[in-house]
Coordinates of all heavy atoms in Angstrom, one line a residue:
M1 N 83.5 63.3 -85.8 CA 82.4 64.2 -85.8 C 82.5 65.1 -87.1 O 83.5 65.7 -87.4 CB 82.6 65.2 -84.5 CG 81.3 65.9 -84.2 SD 81.4 66.6 -82.6 CE 81.0 68.3 -83.0
K2 N 81.4 65.1 -87.8 CA 81.3 65.9 -89.0 C 81.0 67.3 -88.7 O 80.3 67.6 -87.8 CB 80.2 65.3 -89.9 CG 80.7 64.1 -90.8 CD 79.7 63.8 -91.8 CE 78.5 63.0 -91.2 NZ 77.5 62.6 -92.1
S3 N 81.7 68.2 -89.5 CA 81.4 69.6 -89.2 C 80.5 70.1 -90.4 O 80.4 69.5 -91.4 CB 82.7 70.4 -89.2 OG 83.4 70.2 -90.4
G4 N 79.8 71.2 -90.2 CA 79.0 71.8 -91.2 C 77.6 71.1 -91.3 O 76.9 71.3 -92.3
E5 N 77.3 70.3 -90.3 CA 76.0 69.6 -90.4 C 74.9 70.6 -89.9 O 75.1 71.4 -89.1 CB 76.0 68.4 -89.4 CG 76.1 67.1 -90.1 CD 76.1 65.9 -89.2 OE1 77.1 65.7 -88.5 OE2 75.0 65.3 -89.1
R6 N 73.8 70.4 -90.5 CA 72.7 71.3 -90.2 C 71.8 70.8 -89.1 O 70.8 70.2 -89.3 CB 71.8 71.5 -91.5 CG 72.5 72.4 -92.5 CD 71.9 73.8 -92.2 NE 72.8 74.8 -92.9 CZ 72.5 76.1 -92.9 NH1 71.4 76.6 -92.3 NH2 73.4 77.0 -93.4
T7 N 72.3 70.8 -87.9 CA 71.6 70.3 -86.7 C 70.7 71.4 -86.2 O 71.2 72.5 -86.1 CB 72.6 69.9 -85.7 OG1 73.7 69.1 -86.3 CG2 71.9 69.0 -84.6
K8 N 69.5 71.0 -85.9 CA 68.6 72.0 -85.2 C 68.9 72.1 -83.8 O 69.0 71.0 -83.1 CB 67.2 71.5 -85.4 CG 66.5 72.2 -86.7 CD 65.0 71.9 -86.6 CE 64.4 72.2 -88.0 NZ 63.0 71.8 -88.1
R9 N 69.1 73.3 -83.3 CA 69.4 73.5 -81.9 C 68.4 74.6 -81.3 O 68.0 75.4 -82.0 CB 70.8 73.9 -81.7 CG 71.8 73.0 -82.0 CD 73.2 73.6 -82.0 NE 74.1 73.0 -82.9 CZ 75.0 72.1 -82.5 NH1 75.0 71.7 -81.3 NH2 75.9 71.5 -83.3
I10 N 68.2 74.5 -80.1 CA 67.4 75.5 -79.4 C 68.4 76.4 -78.6 O 69.1 75.9 -77.7 CB 66.3 75.0 -78.5 CG1 65.4 74.0 -79.2 CG2 65.5 76.1 -77.8 CD1 64.4 74.6 -80.2
C11 N 68.4 77.7 -78.8 CA 69.2 78.5 -78.0 C 68.7 78.7 -76.6 O 67.6 79.1 -76.4 CB 69.4 79.9 -78.7 SG 70.3 81.1 -77.8
P12 N 69.5 78.4 -75.6 CA 69.0 78.5 -74.2 C 68.8 80.0 -73.8 O 68.2 80.2 -72.8 CB 70.1 77.9 -73.4 CG 71.4 78.0 -74.2 CD 71.0 78.0 -75.6
I13 N 69.3 80.9 -74.5 CA 69.3 82.3 -74.1 C 68.0 83.0 -74.7 O 67.2 83.5 -73.9 CB 70.5 83.1 -74.5 CG1 71.7 82.6 -73.7 CG2 70.3 84.6 -74.2 CD1 73.1 83.2 -74.1
C14 N 67.8 82.9 -76.0 CA 66.6 83.5 -76.6 C 65.5 82.5 -76.9 O 64.4 82.9 -77.2 CB 67.0 84.3 -77.8 SG 67.7 83.2 -79.2
G15 N 65.8 81.2 -76.8 CA 64.7 80.2 -77.0 C 64.4 79.9 -78.4 O 63.5 79.1 -78.7
R16 N 65.1 80.5 -79.4 CA 64.9 80.3 -80.7 C 65.5 79.1 -81.3 O 66.6 78.7 -80.8 CB 65.3 81.5 -81.6 CG 64.3 82.6 -81.4 CD 64.6 83.7 -82.5 NE 66.1 83.9 -82.6 CZ 66.6 84.9 -83.3 NH1 65.8 85.7 -84.0 NH2 67.9 85.0 -83.4
E17 N 64.9 78.5 -82.3 CA 65.5 77.3 -83.0 C 66.4 77.9 -84.1 O 66.1 78.8 -84.8 CB 64.4 76.5 -83.6 CG 64.8 75.1 -83.9 CD 63.6 74.3 -84.4 OE1 63.2 74.5 -85.6 OE2 63.1 73.5 -83.7
Y18 N 67.6 77.3 -84.2 CA 68.5 77.8 -85.2 C 69.3 76.6 -85.8 O 69.5 75.6 -85.1 CB 69.5 78.8 -84.7 CG 70.4 78.3 -83.6 CD1 71.7 78.0 -83.9 CD2 70.0 78.1 -82.3 CE1 72.6 77.5 -83.0 CE2 70.9 77.7 -81.3 CZ 72.2 77.3 -81.7 OH 73.0 76.9 -80.7
T19 N 69.8 76.7 -87.0 CA 70.5 75.6 -87.6 C 71.9 76.1 -88.0 O 72.8 75.3 -88.5 CB 69.9 75.2 -89.0 OG1 69.6 76.4 -89.8 CG2 68.5 74.5 -88.7
A20 N 72.2 77.4 -87.7 CA 73.6 77.9 -88.0 C 74.6 77.3 -87.1 O 74.2 76.7 -86.1 CB 73.6 79.4 -87.9
V21 N 75.9 77.4 -87.4 CA 76.9 76.9 -86.6 C 76.9 77.7 -85.2 O 76.8 78.9 -85.2 CB 78.3 77.1 -87.2 CG1 79.4 76.7 -86.3 CG2 78.4 76.4 -88.5
P22 N 76.8 77.0 -84.1 CA 76.6 77.7 -82.8 C 77.8 78.4 -82.4 O 78.9 78.0 -82.7 CB 76.2 76.5 -81.9 CG 76.8 75.3 -82.5 CD 76.8 75.5 -83.9
A23 N 77.5 79.4 -81.6 CA 78.6 80.1 -80.9 C 78.7 79.4 -79.5 O 77.8 78.7 -79.1 CB 78.3 81.6 -80.8
T24 N 79.8 79.7 -78.8 CA 79.8 79.2 -77.4 C 79.6 80.3 -76.4 O 80.1 81.4 -76.5 CB 81.3 78.6 -77.2 OG1 81.5 77.6 -78.2 CG2 81.3 77.9 -75.8
S25 N 78.8 80.0 -75.5 CA 78.4 81.0 -74.4 C 79.7 81.4 -73.7 O 80.5 80.6 -73.3 CB 77.4 80.3 -73.5 OG 77.3 81.2 -72.3
R26 N 79.8 82.7 -73.5 CA 80.9 83.2 -72.7 C 80.7 83.0 -71.2 O 81.6 83.2 -70.4 CB 81.0 84.7 -73.0 CG 81.7 85.0 -74.3 CD 81.6 86.4 -74.6 NE 82.3 86.6 -76.0 CZ 83.6 87.0 -76.1 NH1 84.3 87.3 -75.1 NH2 84.1 87.0 -77.3
I27 N 79.5 82.6 -70.8 CA 79.2 82.4 -69.4 C 79.9 81.2 -68.9 O 80.6 81.2 -67.9 CB 77.7 82.3 -69.2 CG1 77.1 83.7 -69.6 CG2 77.4 82.0 -67.7 CD1 75.6 83.7 -69.8
D28 N 79.8 80.0 -69.6 CA 80.5 78.8 -69.1 C 81.5 78.2 -70.2 O 82.2 77.2 -69.9 CB 79.5 77.8 -68.7 CG 78.6 77.4 -69.8 OD1 78.8 77.8 -71.0 OD2 77.6 76.7 -69.6
N29 N 81.6 78.8 -71.4 CA 82.5 78.4 -72.4 C 82.2 77.0 -72.9 O 83.0 76.3 -73.5 CB 84.0 78.4 -71.9 CG 84.5 79.9 -72.0 OD1 84.3 80.6 -72.9 ND2 85.2 80.2 -70.9
V30 N 81.0 76.5 -72.6 CA 80.6 75.2 -73.1 C 79.3 75.2 -73.8 O 79.2 74.6 -74.9 CB 80.5 74.2 -71.9 CG1 80.1 72.7 -72.4 CG2 81.8 74.1 -71.1
T31 N 78.3 75.9 -73.3 CA 77.0 75.8 -73.8 C 76.9 76.4 -75.2 O 77.3 77.6 -75.4 CB 76.0 76.7 -72.9 OG1 76.2 76.2 -71.6 CG2 74.6 76.5 -73.3
P32 N 76.4 75.7 -76.2 CA 76.2 76.2 -77.5 C 75.0 77.2 -77.6 O 73.9 76.8 -77.0 CB 75.9 75.0 -78.4 CG 75.6 73.9 -77.5 CD 75.9 74.3 -76.1
I33 N 75.2 78.3 -78.1 CA 74.1 79.3 -78.2 C 74.0 79.8 -79.7 O 75.0 79.6 -80.5 CB 74.3 80.5 -77.3 CG1 75.7 81.2 -77.6 CG2 74.3 80.1 -75.8 CD1 75.9 82.5 -76.8
C34 N 73.0 80.5 -80.1 CA 72.8 80.9 -81.4 C 73.8 82.0 -81.8 O 74.3 82.7 -80.8 CB 71.3 81.3 -81.7 SG 70.9 82.9 -81.1
P35 N 74.2 82.2 -83.0 CA 75.2 83.2 -83.4 C 74.8 84.6 -82.9 O 75.6 85.4 -82.6 CB 75.2 83.1 -84.9 CG 74.7 81.7 -85.2 CD 73.7 81.4 -84.2
E36 N 73.5 84.9 -82.9 CA 73.1 86.2 -82.5 C 73.4 86.5 -81.1 O 73.9 87.5 -80.7 CB 71.5 86.3 -82.8 CG 71.1 87.8 -82.6 CD 69.6 88.0 -82.9 OE1 69.2 87.5 -83.9 OE2 69.0 88.7 -82.1
C37 N 73.1 85.5 -80.2 CA 73.4 85.7 -78.8 C 74.8 85.6 -78.6 O 75.4 86.4 -77.7 CB 72.7 84.5 -77.9 SG 70.9 84.8 -77.9
G38 N 75.6 84.9 -79.3 CA 77.0 84.9 -79.3 C 77.6 86.2 -79.6 O 78.5 86.7 -78.9
A39 N 77.1 86.9 -80.6 CA 77.5 88.2 -81.0 C 77.1 89.2 -79.9 O 78.0 90.1 -79.6 CB 76.8 88.6 -82.4
R40 N 76.0 89.0 -79.4 CA 75.5 90.0 -78.3 C 76.4 89.9 -77.1 O 76.8 90.9 -76.5 CB 74.1 89.6 -77.9 CG 73.4 90.7 -77.2 CD 72.0 90.3 -76.8 NE 71.0 90.5 -77.9 CZ 70.4 91.7 -78.2 NH1 70.7 92.7 -77.5 NH2 69.6 91.7 -79.1
Q41 N 76.8 88.7 -76.7 CA 77.7 88.5 -75.6 C 79.1 89.1 -75.9 O 79.7 89.7 -75.0 CB 77.8 87.0 -75.2 CG 76.6 86.5 -74.5 CD 76.8 85.1 -73.9 OE1 77.8 84.5 -74.2 NE2 75.9 84.6 -73.2
G42 N 79.5 88.8 -77.2 CA 80.8 89.4 -77.6 C 80.8 90.9 -77.5 O 81.7 91.6 -77.0
L43 N 79.7 91.6 -78.0 CA 79.6 93.0 -78.0 C 79.6 93.5 -76.5 O 80.1 94.5 -76.2 CB 78.3 93.4 -78.7 CG 78.4 93.2 -80.2 CD1 77.0 93.4 -80.8 CD2 79.4 94.0 -80.9
E44 N 78.8 92.7 -75.7 CA 78.6 93.1 -74.3 C 80.0 93.1 -73.6 O 80.3 94.0 -72.8 CB 77.7 92.2 -73.6 CG 76.9 92.8 -72.5 CD 75.8 91.9 -72.2 OE1 76.0 90.9 -71.3 OE2 74.7 92.1 -72.6
S45 N 80.9 92.2 -73.9 CA 82.2 92.1 -73.3 C 83.1 93.2 -73.7 O 84.0 93.5 -73.1 CB 82.8 90.7 -73.6 OG 83.3 90.7 -74.9
M46 N 82.7 93.8 -74.9 CA 83.5 95.0 -75.3 C 82.9 96.3 -74.7 O 83.4 97.4 -75.1 CB 83.5 95.0 -76.8 CG 84.3 93.9 -77.5 SD 84.4 94.2 -79.3 CE 82.9 93.4 -79.8
G47 N 81.9 96.2 -73.9 CA 81.3 97.4 -73.3 C 80.3 98.1 -74.2 O 80.0 99.2 -74.0
V48 N 79.8 97.3 -75.2 CA 78.7 98.0 -76.1 C 77.4 97.9 -75.5 O 77.0 96.9 -74.8 CB 78.7 97.2 -77.5 CG1 77.6 97.7 -78.3 CG2 80.0 97.2 -78.2
K49 N 76.7 99.1 -75.5 CA 75.5 99.2 -74.8 C 74.4 98.4 -75.5 O 74.4 98.2 -76.7 CB 75.0 100.7 -74.7 CG 75.9 101.5 -73.7 CD 75.4 102.9 -73.6 CE 76.4 103.8 -72.9 NZ 77.4 104.2 -73.8
R50 N 73.4 98.0 -74.7 CA 72.2 97.3 -75.2 C 71.6 97.8 -76.5 O 71.4 97.1 -77.5 CB 71.2 97.2 -74.1 CG 70.0 96.4 -74.4 CD 70.2 94.9 -74.2 NE 69.2 94.1 -74.8 CZ 68.9 92.8 -74.4 NH1 69.7 92.2 -73.5 NH2 68.0 92.2 -75.0
K51 N 71.4 99.1 -76.5 CA 70.8 99.7 -77.6 C 71.7 99.6 -78.9 O 71.1 99.3 -80.0 CB 70.5 101.2 -77.4 CG 69.6 101.9 -78.3 CD 69.4 103.4 -78.0 CE 68.7 104.1 -79.1 NZ 69.5 104.2 -80.4
E52 N 72.9 99.8 -78.7 CA 73.9 99.7 -79.8 C 74.0 98.2 -80.3 O 74.1 97.9 -81.5 CB 75.3 100.2 -79.4 CG 75.3 101.7 -79.3 CD 76.6 102.1 -78.6 OE1 77.6 102.3 -79.4 OE2 76.6 102.2 -77.4
Q53 N 73.9 97.3 -79.3 CA 73.9 95.9 -79.7 C 72.7 95.6 -80.6 O 72.9 94.9 -81.6 CB 73.7 95.0 -78.4 CG 74.9 95.0 -77.4 CD 74.6 94.2 -76.2 OE1 73.8 93.3 -76.2 NE2 75.3 94.5 -75.1
D54 N 71.6 96.1 -80.3 CA 70.3 95.9 -81.1 C 70.6 96.4 -82.5 O 70.2 95.7 -83.5 CB 69.2 96.6 -80.5 CG 68.7 95.8 -79.2 OD1 69.0 94.7 -79.0 OD2 67.9 96.5 -78.4
E55 N 71.2 97.6 -82.6 CA 71.5 98.1 -83.9 C 72.4 97.3 -84.7 O 72.2 97.0 -85.9 CB 72.0 99.6 -83.8 CG 71.0 100.6 -83.4 CD 71.5 101.9 -82.9 OE1 72.7 102.1 -83.0 OE2 70.7 102.7 -82.4
I56 N 73.5 96.8 -84.1 CA 74.5 96.0 -84.7 C 73.9 94.7 -85.2 O 74.0 94.2 -86.3 CB 75.7 95.8 -83.9 CG1 76.4 97.1 -83.7 CG2 76.6 94.8 -84.4 CD1 77.4 97.2 -82.5
L57 N 73.1 94.1 -84.3 CA 72.5 92.8 -84.6 C 71.5 92.9 -85.8 O 71.3 92.0 -86.5 CB 71.8 92.2 -83.4 CG 72.9 91.7 -82.4 CD1 72.3 91.4 -81.0 CD2 73.6 90.4 -82.9
E58 N 70.8 94.1 -85.8 CA 69.9 94.3 -86.9 C 70.6 94.2 -88.2 O 70.1 93.7 -89.2 CB 69.1 95.6 -86.7 CG 67.8 95.7 -87.4 CD 67.2 97.1 -87.3 OE1 66.9 97.5 -86.1 OE2 67.0 97.8 -88.3
I59 N 71.8 94.9 -88.3 CA 72.6 94.9 -89.5 C 73.0 93.5 -89.8 O 73.0 93.0 -91.0 CB 73.8 95.8 -89.3 CG1 73.3 97.2 -89.2 CG2 74.7 95.7 -90.5 CD1 74.3 98.2 -88.6
I60 N 73.5 92.7 -88.8 CA 73.9 91.3 -89.0 C 72.8 90.5 -89.5 O 72.9 89.7 -90.5 CB 74.4 90.7 -87.7 CG1 75.8 91.4 -87.3 CG2 74.7 89.2 -87.8 CD1 76.3 91.1 -85.9
N61 N 71.6 90.6 -88.9 CA 70.4 89.8 -89.4 C 70.1 90.2 -90.9 O 69.7 89.3 -91.6 CB 69.2 90.1 -88.5 CG 69.3 89.4 -87.2 OD1 70.0 88.3 -87.1 ND2 68.7 89.9 -86.2
R62 N 70.2 91.4 -91.2 CA 69.8 91.9 -92.6 C 70.8 91.2 -93.5 O 70.5 90.7 -94.6 CB 70.0 93.4 -92.7 CG 68.8 94.0 -93.4 CD 68.9 95.5 -93.5 NE 68.6 96.1 -92.2 CZ 69.1 97.3 -91.9 NH1 69.8 98.0 -92.6 NH2 68.8 97.8 -90.7
Y63 N 72.1 91.0 -93.1 CA 73.1 90.4 -93.9 C 72.7 88.9 -94.0 O 72.9 88.4 -95.2 CB 74.5 90.6 -93.2 CG 75.6 89.8 -93.9 CD1 76.1 90.3 -95.1 CD2 76.1 88.7 -93.3 CE1 77.1 89.6 -95.7 CE2 77.2 88.0 -93.9 CZ 77.6 88.5 -95.1 OH 78.7 87.8 -95.7
Y64 N 72.3 88.3 -93.0 CA 72.0 86.8 -93.1 C 70.8 86.6 -94.0 O 70.8 85.7 -94.8 CB 71.7 86.2 -91.7 CG 73.0 85.8 -91.0 CD1 73.4 86.4 -89.8 CD2 73.8 84.9 -91.6 CE1 74.6 86.0 -89.1 CE2 75.0 84.5 -90.9 CZ 75.3 85.0 -89.7 OH 76.5 84.7 -89.1
D65 N 69.8 87.5 -93.9 CA 68.7 87.5 -94.8 C 69.0 87.6 -96.3 O 68.5 86.9 -97.1 CB 67.7 88.5 -94.4 CG 66.9 88.2 -93.2 OD1 66.9 87.0 -92.7 OD2 66.2 89.1 -92.6
M66 N 70.0 88.4 -96.5 CA 70.4 88.6 -97.9 C 71.1 87.4 -98.4 O 71.0 87.0 -99.6 CB 71.5 89.8 -98.0 CG 70.8 91.2 -98.0 SD 72.0 92.5 -98.4 CE 73.4 92.2 -97.4
K67 N 71.8 86.7 -97.6 CA 72.5 85.4 -97.9 C 71.5 84.3 -98.3 O 71.7 83.5 -99.1 CB 73.5 85.0 -96.8 CG 74.8 85.8 -96.9 CD 76.0 85.0 -96.4 CE 75.8 84.5 -95.0 NZ 77.0 83.8 -94.5
K68 N 70.4 84.3 -97.5 CA 69.4 83.3 -97.7 C 68.7 83.5 -99.0 O 68.2 82.6 -99.7 CB 68.4 83.4 -96.5 CG 68.7 82.3 -95.4 CD 67.6 82.3 -94.4 CE 67.8 83.3 -93.3 NZ 66.7 83.5 -92.4
A69 N 68.4 84.8 -99.4 CA 67.6 85.1 -100.5 C 68.3 84.7 -101.9 O 69.6 84.6 -101.9 CB 67.3 86.5 -100.6
Ligands
LIG1 ZN1 70.0 83.0 -79.0

């Protein structure tokens, strides 16, 4: 199995298509999910509130956009 392949996947949580390396769902430890939902689940497990999750993810997304540009 090759790593770093740009496979298109659909995130089962947010329904978006993504090509980034998937995160693994904390719910069953098997299901691949998009990095954003992976980060959200990670933050949730640390007790971060929904509003703060949104703020953190906004910063993460801005960072990814900068890398794309
Ligand atoms: Zn997602």
Side-chain angles (χ1 to χ4, degrees):
M1 201 168 122
K2 275 187 282 179
S3 60
E5 254 182 285
R6 284 266 161 175
T7 313
K8 267 191 192 172
R9 297 169 204 267
I10 305 286
C11 174
I13 295 177
C14 64
R16 282 192 318 189
E17 200 175 75
Y18 66 99
T19 53
V21 179
T24 304
S25 171
R26 281 170 182 262
I27 294 162
D28 59 9
N29 283 314
V30 182
T31 310
I33 58 174
C34 75
E36 186 175 320
C37 289
R40 197 179 279 278
Q41 286 189 352
L43 293 169
E44 213 165 80
S45 74
M46 289 187 277
V48 177
K49 290 187 193 75
R50 181 85 193 196
K51 194 182 170 288
E52 289 169 90
Q53 291 176 26
D54 288 341
E55 286 167 7
I56 293 164
L57 286 167
E58 204 185 296
I59 294 162
I60 293 171
N61 283 334
R62 227 178 285 157
Y63 173 72
Y64 277 120
D65 283 345
M66 279 194 309
K67 281 212 300 189
K68 264 186 272 171

